[in-house]
């Protein structure tokens, strides 16, 4: 176990491991050391226990640890006992060592460390055995525990001071550790690789290990030793997705503990290592050379970040400075930021790209301790300051019980902000001060003015315009670059017309590039990665403030140098260059007096050559690049302009990757910029691939030429300039969308980050040109890539080719175009088969889909089924009626498809015992009850997606499965949008929104930014509906198996692995085709990883996305699926004909439309769907019989049933190797390969059991009850199970108001009052954590400060982040400030707080929010409904508000409204919040809300406002989306008409 | 593309036809040109389907959504280019194709289809009017010579494609004019023949040599051609008419449909009567005409008879009357069996279904009546279902002229087929696989009706094109081997 995860095998690769966690620290501000601090730290750790996870063995955690200051007394005691003379504190260091268990390796390790201590001139004072107590530890862990000893090293004579000593220690550690893996192999001492030094410092010491949070203190006896004293304790509890956590991977690291994930780590590590030749440090001098690689590959992201940080600190940066450099706040678009600070960030942007991703980082060097949040604030961090000089910071509030009267301040870390405690100065340094100090330390602004050049501002180049191509030439060159009609029709023209990445619908049913018979562009082999579970995607539109496309072209300054201020830099505001821009760069030498020299390298090769010629051309290109850089050219342009009849263009991605990695390997990459001038790139995905492999800017010249031609022909109605501008805008938007899918917010960090999986490229090719990219199934090499390019070229310059471009046929089927699974024949055969019950027609259909010789459609087409034994008679195979119970229909929302289509699927699935899925968007309540004929339209699977539309307590209790949709195959990592015109009154009703108002599903679930958050949501859902299976829907990508393992550990009962082929109602074409992998790969990886972890039996695995036939099911089962999801095929059975017009609402067969006329055309019947599933089941049975399998379980997870088809004759596919996919792991035969047991959710001990019992009489409809209890942060999801009970018995209407009142004291855990039902009131005195009132379903929540607290409520945080997410109805009053994203996606709740963080009221569609204090940035972004009031005496709101979609208005004085619609003191019912007409009675409504708030929380602020009422009223503003106003007015008008004409009403 | 909601807003409107009374007075075409705007609107009904069923419903795989969109946007020239990409002769198919594309049109499922055929015709006609249809000569010749037997749609399409690929095709036609069945089989009111002439002209400039009046296998031996040409393509059609072996077959006034139709077409072409009808005039004027056979040829006989002033026309069909409406759920997008009324039938004809002719009754050597019975399907001795008369249902119809339009059984043997010695299928067609077109003699290819048996013009064009591609590929490989 100490060795960490098992080596890569099959599709499992340890580098995909992800983790997330809980972190915290406590420090004494004055630097007073004590053992209590450590004890408190350990208690914090124990109280964060639920943020960690356990694996298959509940005694094995994922690791935990504690960082403290060097406890001098402890070591002095040791020194005395051992006759060692210990120098004064600061002059000696302690190396905490995890030594190999194997004695021989241990000796070698010790010798190694001792040698480098000596070589570097330091003095080893001795070794101390660290006293440990393994009692209570899992035997597996105890057996693999390393030998833990500490080396005590004294400062050598020649070392100037403590800082220099620290640098020496780093040098020693790097030299000792860096080559360990190689040494272990070379010296045949595998144990040597286990040697690990958690800390080696004269200031800090780390005690960590593969321990449960509660075990750290007991295990390391030092920590309980009264001699061990520290002024700080930094603790961390890890939640890893896998169950092979290791001692090494536990946090804290040397400087940091981290809760989050660095998405760009691949690129960051590459860039760091690319500095080999440019990095110099006056402080480190020659020692720097001993430290390479600065960041070894194969470490966790946190370890890499820690390495970067320690380098920067060693190089002379102060700790906060280094942290700001690595994780800058969002500055590019922030006009509010102080100019000096902006200059500071902009200056540093050229030094290093951000380490991008969600992160809460606590850092310390023993003298200062602090914490910072990423720019988007995607991790929680709350802190408390006490009157006895303690600061406590943790992922949650309430982790250390402190009497309220002792607390001076409760606050939270805000996005991009830093908290720093300087123990030497003995004070807290606020964010403003730190940053102002650092920003003012150097004249950054002046430096920028002198050295930073913006391309836009440079004069145009003097070169003449390139002559237009001769008539007809354009066509040839377009064909040589693989242009098709579809490129023009579906990409270029729409991009130029609308300035948007084009949208399509349904899924991809074409073969992946490597299986296609036709030449594909190299881009098609790269599939975009995306964030799922372990970190959130970003909304690049609504949260544009954190996004930036700024790119720096050219050499980077020395990261550790002092002269960076004079280094010239070239900046572009976005990376797509027009021809004019490129010419500016080409001739930049003339303009900027020699600061830049540009060299253009030819990226083409002579016609007629094959793979070898291409290889030679790449070799030449790389050599030329080296030469150019060594000759001081510092901008390289890779250009395929020379392409023509005699020269073939090198695929631009290949040229880029080759040069980029070549220069990295040579350590020259930082000395030059890389610009790509190519005719090949034209759509967003192309730009992404080029950027991902190192292009700092791209000039797609042929795309511009093509656009010019289109403009000339009048096919795009705009001027050529406008067309270019639109196109660049569209490309930029698309790029941001792709970046944000992975949670990356800046182009600088996306550049070179290689956020792709290579699907169908040989690993040999990838290793050389796209180093570090995953390639799960092998595939083509240079030979085939050259052939593809040559074929395009031949076609282009052929003797008798037609003049027109090829059709393409990739998006819409065409004869002679790309192959599709769904063709006129397959659709017609399937429909005729199910309507006429004609087995022969189904057979025709299945044969065409399963066909493998003539056309290869899928990866599964490459395998053959291999019998397990002799065939069995068909009648012995389990009956179809059993098999169909494993089938489910895919998630399609009511809204994307019509009610007719939706209910047809539901009825069909209910009749056969399968499952249908609501999709995102709720379900009409009439469907919860069975029909008179015994049928049921109730979908067994209820989806919970990021928009939470219609997710009420009642909806949740009416489910057999609750599916958390993390991602969907067609557009993983993206949100969705239902435009207002599609929201008719039925859809609005079921989604609890307003007809005519558009609805946005955010890209992330705002309550899932990490795996422990997912565990929390699973816990919430399990609480409300204990009987339901909780499912998590993931999309296949490399690493999904690891995520699935995490999901299993997060206690999900079910996981869906969806293929990229899955359909959709609308998605950018970029995502539809280029994001995610086929399910075969993700499923196989999931199965392998789960089995390896011993987790497989606990969780049910479903495969989904492009399943069509019984054979597909057989392959999916063999690869590990228990259940099977089908979407497109049953939809086709019900009448869909693949129009691919879902996004236009014009579906001519009434499936994907809400148009009443078109809906009448729907002819599907449940029988059709049932027939389809039985055909599939019968086909499967026949296959099972032939394989000798009687029951499906026997073939689940049995890849040995699959054989790679012996003779693949495909010209490209012959290189595909499915060995890793079909890998049969060496596992215990006892380990189940299918879902054979249930998760243990530990729900017996939840807080609500007691509440339910106490509320018994009220639940039964009797007298109201009052319950009083104490509550702690470990009590999570309070009130939810009770609400489930209410909803089950009384539906959405719930109980009468205040039937159940629960009074609590203390700090409530996460998800306080989630889905709280109508009639339940939670009154909390104290504070609460994240997700309060999530999905509030009519209940009432009040949180107030304790009377004994002396703090100003307006300056104290009382509830955490993402409060009232997806709230449907009910009320909430918070007597203090709320965290970020207050009332995000609120649909109808009424809420009052005394201030809120960033992004408040984001995506809100209804309800009323009142904020009595200031709000953070990006207020009301994407808000399309509801109203908000903010106290804004300083008139700051206008700047804080995302003004694009909302209007800010003053409140008219009281009494200025008339007519009906006045608010009432009490909500009338769960359907009417009593707030009256949102467009009238503002002053009255405000007053009422403030009065209610006063009543609920005793707020001093409320009292104050009321005292001076009519005057204070004027300081409020109202925020209302114009779209909402319009919709309300339209409804008013309709109501008046109906009044005038009652007959219409009756007719409706 | 196109107009997303076009199909919801615009009603189908096809070409107007001249009123029956007017049109039967003339031999000319009678469908009226609707104008660009109306056609553009009709094209806007196209939904640009994700799977365009029309595209595969069409035997030449016309890029229907693509040119519909161009027509909607009034870019006719580009539409013509798109149309010509798959179809050499859209002006023929735009007139006489039964339009399986329209049956396959997605709108036909729950609505009425786009007027695809009409749009196609308009694109082609406009192209000719505007002078956009120009010869497309190959840039370089290959020097390879190909002899093509037959100048029907298959032979023409094959020749044009080969010429454009740089080869040198020669088309041999036994008749005096180019066009085959297009020329003499189809009446002028459905296809005016100058449209063939202008194509021939275009092809001549592209390098096709036409040799009329040469019956290969009779006037020149296949062996001789094989010496002079690299490749021989058999595209001679399926001209053997199905006969009616009943008593009285040899009476005067009983003729094969084609004998009747060819005469009239020659007359319309301006041939003198002795040339048009060297073996005697067959006229419907003032006669009670019986047309046996319910297909397209039968309809052509009806239309021609009307224009010759027949007293009455009765059409007999052996199969039962098909349903008025198909069950689209089970047939769409395939060609459905349903009752159709051709424009000629519309002009007036008694239609009898389930009728089997048992005897032709005559007086004085000339036919006077036809004796029929109701037909039913019954098992024959070998178990196959065959049509048999129902005893006791006999009846008689007065008849002065009986035209046999019961289809064709295959290619004529005498001539090229026999002389070339290529293997035949059991049905008597030239044996060559679809998509391959190579016969048992590797240098002889076959396409069109001669290979597939009696079929549509559009299939002939498709086969001609495909066959040309196969020949081209064969020559390329062979060329490499020789080099």
């Amino acid at each position: 176990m100490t060795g960490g995860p098992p080596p890569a095998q099959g599709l499992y690769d340890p580098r995909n491991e992800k983790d997330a966690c809980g972190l915290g620290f406590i420090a004494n501000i004055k630097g007073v050391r004590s053992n209590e601090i450590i004890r408190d730290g350990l208690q914090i750790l124990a109280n964060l226990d639920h943020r960690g996870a356990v694996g298959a063995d509940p005694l094995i955690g994922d690791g935990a640890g504690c960082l403290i200051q060097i406890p001098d007394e402890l070591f002095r005691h040791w020194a005395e006992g051992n006759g060692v003379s210990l120098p004064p504190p600061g002059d000696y260091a302690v190396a905490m060592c995890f030594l190999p268990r194997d004695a021989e390796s241990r000796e070698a390790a010790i010798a190694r460390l001792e040698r480098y201590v000596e070589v570097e001139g330091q003095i080893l004072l001795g070794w101390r055995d660290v006293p440990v107590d393994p009692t209570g530890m899992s035997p597996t862990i105890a057996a693999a525990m390393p030998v833990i000893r500490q080396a005590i090293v004294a400062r050598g004579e020649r070392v100037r001071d403590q800082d220099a000593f620290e640098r020496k220690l780093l040098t020693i550690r790097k030299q000792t550790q860096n080559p360990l893996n190689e040494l272990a192999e070379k010296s045949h001492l595998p144990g040597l690789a286990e040697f690990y030094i958690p800390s080696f410092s004269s200031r800090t010491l780390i005690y960590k290990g593969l321990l449960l949070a509660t075990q750290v203190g007991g295990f390391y006896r030092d920590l309980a030793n009264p001699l061990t004293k520290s002024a700080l304790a930094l603790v961390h509890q890890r939640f890893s997705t896998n169950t092979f956590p290791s001692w090494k991977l536990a946090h804290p690291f040397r400087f940091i503990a981290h809760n989050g994930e660095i998405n760009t780590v691949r690129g960051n590590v590459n860039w760091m290592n690319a500095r080999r030749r440019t990095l110099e440090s006056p402080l480190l001098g020659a020692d720097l050379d001993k430290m390479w690689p600065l960041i070894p590959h194969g470490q966790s992201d946190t370890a890499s970040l820690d390495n970067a940080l320690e380098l920067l600190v060693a190089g002379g940066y102060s700790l906060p400075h280094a942290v700001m450099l690595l994780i800058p706040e969002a500055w590019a678009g922030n006009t509010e930021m102080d100019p000096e600070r902006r200059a500071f960030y902009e200056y540093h942007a050229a030094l290093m790209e951000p380490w991008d991703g969600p992160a809460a980082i606590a850092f310390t060097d023993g003298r200062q301790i602090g914490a910072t949040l990423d720019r988007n604030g995607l991790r929680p961090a709350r802190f408390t300051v006490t009157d006895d000089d303690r600061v406590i910071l943790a992922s949650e509030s309430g982790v250390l019980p402190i009497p309220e009267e002792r607390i001076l301040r409760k606050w939270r870390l805000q996005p991009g902000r830093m908290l720093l405690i300087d123990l030497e100065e003995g004070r807290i340094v606020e964010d403003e001060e730190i940053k102002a100090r650092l920003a003012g330390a150097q004249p950054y602004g002046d430096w920028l003015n002198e050295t930073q050049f913006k391309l836009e501002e440079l004069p145009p180049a003097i070169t003449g315009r390139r002559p237009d191509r001769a008539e007809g030439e354009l066509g040839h060159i377009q064909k040589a670059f693989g242009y098709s009609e579809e490129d023009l029709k579906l990409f270029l023209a729409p991009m130029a017309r609308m300035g948007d990445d084009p949208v399509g619908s349904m899924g991809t049913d074409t073969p992946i590039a490597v299986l296609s018979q036709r030449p594909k562009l190299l881009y098609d082999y790269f599939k975009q990665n995306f964030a799922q579970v372990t970190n959130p995607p970003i909304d690049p539109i609504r949260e544009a403030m954190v996004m930036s496309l700024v790119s720096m072209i050219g050499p980077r300054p020395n990261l550790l140098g002092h002269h960076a201020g004079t280094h010239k830099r070239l900046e572009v505001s976005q990376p797509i260059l027009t021809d004019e821009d490129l010419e500016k760069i080409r001739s930049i030498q003339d303009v900027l007096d020699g600061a830049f020299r540009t060299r253009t390298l030819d990226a083409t090769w002579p016609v007629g050559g094959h793979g070898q010629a291409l290889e030679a051309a790449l070799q030449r290109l790389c050599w030329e690049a080296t030469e150019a850089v060594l000759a001081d050219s510092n901008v390289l342009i890779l250009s395929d302009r020379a392409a023509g009849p005699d020269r073939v263009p090198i695929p631009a991605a290949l040229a880029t990757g080759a040069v980029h990695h070549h220069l990295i390997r040579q350590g020259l990459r930082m000395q030059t910029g890389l610009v790509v001038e190519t005719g090949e790139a034209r759509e967003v995905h192309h730009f992404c691939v080029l950027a991902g492999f190192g292009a700092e800017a791209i000039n797609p010249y042929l795309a511009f030429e093509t656009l010019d031609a289109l403009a000339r022909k009048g096919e795009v109605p705009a001027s050529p300039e406008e067309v270019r501008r639109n196109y660049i805008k569209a490309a930029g938007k698309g790029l941001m969308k792709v970046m944000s899918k992975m949670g990356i917010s800046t182009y600088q960090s996306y550049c070179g980050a290689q956020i792709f999986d290579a699907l169908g490229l040989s690993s040999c090719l990838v290793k050389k040109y796209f180093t570090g990219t995953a390639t799960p199934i092998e595939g083509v090499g240079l030979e085939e890539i050259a052939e593809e390019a040559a074929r395009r070229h031949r076609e282009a310059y052929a003797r008798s080719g037609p003049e027109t471009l090829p059709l393409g046929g990739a998006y819409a089927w065409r004869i002679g175009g790309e192959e599709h699974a769904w063709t006129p024949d397959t659709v017609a055969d399937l429909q005729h088969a199910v309507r006429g019950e004609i087995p022969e027609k189904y057979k025709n259909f299945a044969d065409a889909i399963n066909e493998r010789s003539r056309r290869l459609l899928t990866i599964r087409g490459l395998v053959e089924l291999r019998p397990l034994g002799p065939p069995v008679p068909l009648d012995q195979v389990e009956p179809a009626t059993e098999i169909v119970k494993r089938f489910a229909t895919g998630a399609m929302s009511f809204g994307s498809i019509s009610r007719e289509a939706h209910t047809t699927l539901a009825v069909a699935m209910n009749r056969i015992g399968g499952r249908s899925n609501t999709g995102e968007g709720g379900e009409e309540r009439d469907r919860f009850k069975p029909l008179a004929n015994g049928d049921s339209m109730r979908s067994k699977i209820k989806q919970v997606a990021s928009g939470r539309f219609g997710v009420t307590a009642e909806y949740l209790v009416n489910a057999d499965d609750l599916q958390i949709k993390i991602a969907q195959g067609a557009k993983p990592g993206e949100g969705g949008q239902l435009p207002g015109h599609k929201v008719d009154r039925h859809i609005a009703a079921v989604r609890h929104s307003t007809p005519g108002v558009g609805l946005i599903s955010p890209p992330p679930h705002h309550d899932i930014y990490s795996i422990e958050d997912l565990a929390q949501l699973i816990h919430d859902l399990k609480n409300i509906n204990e009987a339901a299976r909780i499912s998590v829907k993931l999309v296949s990508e490399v690493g999904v198996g690891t995520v699935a393992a995490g999901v299993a550990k997060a206690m999900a009962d079910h996981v869906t692995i969806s293929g990229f082929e899955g359909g959709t109602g609308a998605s950018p074409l970029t995502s539809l085709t280029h994001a995610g992998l086929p399910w075969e790969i993700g499923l196989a990886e999931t199965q392998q990883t789960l089995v390896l972890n011993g987790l497989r039996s606990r969780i049910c695995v479903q495969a989904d996305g492009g399943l069509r036939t019984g054979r597909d099911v057989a392959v999916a089962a063999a690869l590990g699926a228990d259940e099977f999801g089908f979407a497109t095929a049953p939809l086709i059975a019900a009448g869909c004909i693949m129009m691919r017009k879902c996004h236009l609402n014009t579906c001519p067969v009434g499936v994907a439309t809400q148009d009443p006329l078109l809906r009448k055309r729907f002819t599907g019947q449940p029988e059709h769907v049932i027939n389809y599933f039985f055909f599939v089941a019968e086909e499967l049975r026949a296959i099972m019989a032939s394989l000798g399998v009687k029951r499906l379980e026997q073939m689940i997870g049995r890849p040995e049933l699959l054989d790679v088809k012996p003779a693949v004759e495909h010209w490209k596919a012959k290189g595909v190797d499915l060995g890793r996919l079909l890998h049969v792991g060496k596992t215990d035969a006892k380990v189940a390969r299918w879902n054979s047991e249930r998760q243990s959710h530990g729900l017996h001990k939840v807080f609500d059991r007691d509440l339910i019992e106490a509320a018994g009489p009220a639940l039964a409809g009797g007298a109201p009850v009052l319950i009083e209890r104490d509550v702690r942060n470990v009590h999570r999801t309070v009130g939810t199970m009770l609400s489930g009970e209410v909803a089950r018995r009384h539906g959405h209407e719930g109980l009468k108001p205040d039937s159940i009142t629960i009074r609590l004291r203390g700090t409530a855990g996460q998800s306080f009052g989630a889905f709280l039902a109508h009639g339940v009131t939670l009154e909390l005195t104290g504070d609460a954590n994240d997700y309060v009132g999530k999905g509030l379903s009519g209940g009432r929540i009040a949180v107030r400060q304790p009377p004994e607290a002396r703090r100003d409520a307006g300056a104290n945080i009382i509830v955490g982040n993402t409060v009232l997410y997806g709230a449907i109805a009910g009320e909430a009053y918070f007597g203090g400030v709320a965290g970020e994203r207050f009332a995000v996606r609120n649909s109808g709740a009424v809420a009052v707080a005394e201030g809120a963080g960033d992004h408040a009221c984001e995506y809100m569609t209804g309800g009323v929010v009142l904020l009595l204090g200031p709000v953070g940035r990006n207020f009301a972004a994407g808000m399309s409904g509801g109203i908000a009031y903010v106290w804004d005496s300083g008139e700051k709101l206008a700047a804080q508000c995302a003004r694009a979609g909302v209007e800010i208005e003053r409140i008219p004085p009281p009494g200025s409204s008339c007519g009906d619609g006045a608010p009432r003191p009490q909500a009338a019912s769960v359907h009417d919040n009593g707030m009256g007409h949102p467009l009238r009675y503002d002053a009255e409504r405000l007053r009422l809300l403030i009065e209610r708030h006063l009543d609920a929380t005793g707020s001093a602020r409320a009292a104050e406002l009321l005292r001076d009422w009519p005057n204070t009223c004027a300081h409020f503003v109202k925020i209302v989306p114009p779209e909402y106003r319009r919709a309300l007015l339209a409804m008013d008008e309709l109501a008046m008409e109906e009044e005038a004409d009652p007959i219409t009403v009756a007719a409706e | 593309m196109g107009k997303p909601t076009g199909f919801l807003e615009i009603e189908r409107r096809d070409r107007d036809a001249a009123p029956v009374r007017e049109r039967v007075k003339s031999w000319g075409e009678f469908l009226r040109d609707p104008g660009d705007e109306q056609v553009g609107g009709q094209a806007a009904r196209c939904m640009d389907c994700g799977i365009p069923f029309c595209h595969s419903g069409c035997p030449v795989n016309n890029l229907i959504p693509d040119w519909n969109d161009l027509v909607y946007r009034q870019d006719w020239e580009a539409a013509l280019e798109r149309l010509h990409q798959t179809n050499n002769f859209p002006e023929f198919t735009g007139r006489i194709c039964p339009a399986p594309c329209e049956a396959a049109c997605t709108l036909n499922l729950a609505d009425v289809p786009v007027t695809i055929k009409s749009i196609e015709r308009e694109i082609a006609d406009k192209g000719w009017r505007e002078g956009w249809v120009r010869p497309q000569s190959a840039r370089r010749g290959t020097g390879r010579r190909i002899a093509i037997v037959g100048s029907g749609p298959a032979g023409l399409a094959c020749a044009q494609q080969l010429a454009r690929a740089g080869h040198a095709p020669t088309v041999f036609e036994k008749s005096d004019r180019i066009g085959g069945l297009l020329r003499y089989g189809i009446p002028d009111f459905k296809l005016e023949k100058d449209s063939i002439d202008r194509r021939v002209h275009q092809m001549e400039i592209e390098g096709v040599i036409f040799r009329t009046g040469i019956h290969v296998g009779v006037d020149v031996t296949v062996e001789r051609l094989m010496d002079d040409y690299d490749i021989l393509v058999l595209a001679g059609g399926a001209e053997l008419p199905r006969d009616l072996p009943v008593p009285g077959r040899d009476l005067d006034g009983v003729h094969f449909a084609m004998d009747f139709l060819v005469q009239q077409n020659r007359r319309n072409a301006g041939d003198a009567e002795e040339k048009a009808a060297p073996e005697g005039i067959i006229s419907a004027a003032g006669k009670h005409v019986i047309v046996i056979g319910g297909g397209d040829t039968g309809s052509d006989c009806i239309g021609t008879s009307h224009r010759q002033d027949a007293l009455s026309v009765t059409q007999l069909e052996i199969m039962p009357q098909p349903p008025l409406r198909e069950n689209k759920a089970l047939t769409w997008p395939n060609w459905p069996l349903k009752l159709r009324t051709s424009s000629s039938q519309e002009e007036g004809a008694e239609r009898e279904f389930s009728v089997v002719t048992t005897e032709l009754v005559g007086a004085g050597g000339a036919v006077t009546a036809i004796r029929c019975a109701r037909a039913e399907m019954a098992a024959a001795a070998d178990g196959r279902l065959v049509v048999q008369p129902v005893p006791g249902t006999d009846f008689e119809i007065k008849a002065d002229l009986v035209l046999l339009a019961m289809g064709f059984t295959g290619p004529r043997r005498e001539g090229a087929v026999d002389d070339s010695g290529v293997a035949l299928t059991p049905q008597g067609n030239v044996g060559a696989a679809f998509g391959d077109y190579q016969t048992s003699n590797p240098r002889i290819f076959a396409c069109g009706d001669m290979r597939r048996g009696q079929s549509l013009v559009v299939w002939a064009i498709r086969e001609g094109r495909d066959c040309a591609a196969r020949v081209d590929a064969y020559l390329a490989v062979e060329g490499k081997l020789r080099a």
Side-chain angles (χ1 to χ4, degrees), chain A residues 396-448:
Chain A
E396 287 187 20
S397 176
V399 289
L400 192 64
I402 291 169
E404 282 285 342
E405 60 275 18
R406 310 215 59 165
I407 297 175
L408 296 179
R409 185 175 172 213
K410 285 183 176 182
W411 202 239
R412 72 193 190 283
L413 215 45
Q414 289 162 267
R417 302 292 178 83
M418 189 181 283
L419 168 74
L420 189 72
I421 300 132
D422 193 315
L423 303 179
E424 290 180 349
E425 288 183 28
R427 68 191 187 98
I428 296 177
V429 194
E430 298 285 342
D431 181 75
E432 284 298 324
E433 186 189 336
I434 314 166
K435 292 180 177 170
R437 203 160 60 190
L438 285 167
Q442 301 285 352
Y444 292 114
D446 297 345
W447 286 354
L448 280 176

Side-chain angles (χ1 to χ4, degrees), chain A residues 1240-1308:
Chain A
S1240 125
H1241 289 273
L1243 287 181
H1244 53 279
K1245 52 184 188 210
V1246 298
F1247 197 75
D1248 273 46
R1249 300 267 180 215
D1250 167 40
L1251 298 181
I1252 292 170
E1253 201 182 317
L1259 271 175
V1265 296
L1266 173 70
I1267 305 166
E1268 292 186 284
R1269 298 285 186 273
D1270 282 340
V1271 69
R1272 287 181 49 213
N1273 79 308
V1274 295
H1275 298 134
R1276 298 177 294 140
T1277 322
V1278 169
T1280 304
M1281 191 177 274
L1282 173 65
S1283 295
E1285 211 46 51
V1286 173
R1288 211 165 285 121
R1289 301 195 200 180
H1290 306 285
H1292 186 50
E1293 281 70 19
L1295 296 165
K1296 283 202 276 298
D1298 296 322
S1299 293
I1300 303 173
T1301 304
I1302 301 159
R1303 285 201 186 127
L1304 302 163
R1305 279 189 71 88
T1307 296

Side-chain angles (χ1 to χ4, degrees), chain A residues 198-221:
Chain A
S199 71
F200 190 10
S201 163
S202 62
R203 296 188 175 114
T204 57
L205 178 59
I206 294 173
Y207 289 94
K208 70 176 180 182
L210 192 45
L211 301 162
L212 296 173
T214 46
Q215 287 173 339
V216 179
F219 179 76
Y220 284 113
R221 282 168 33 209

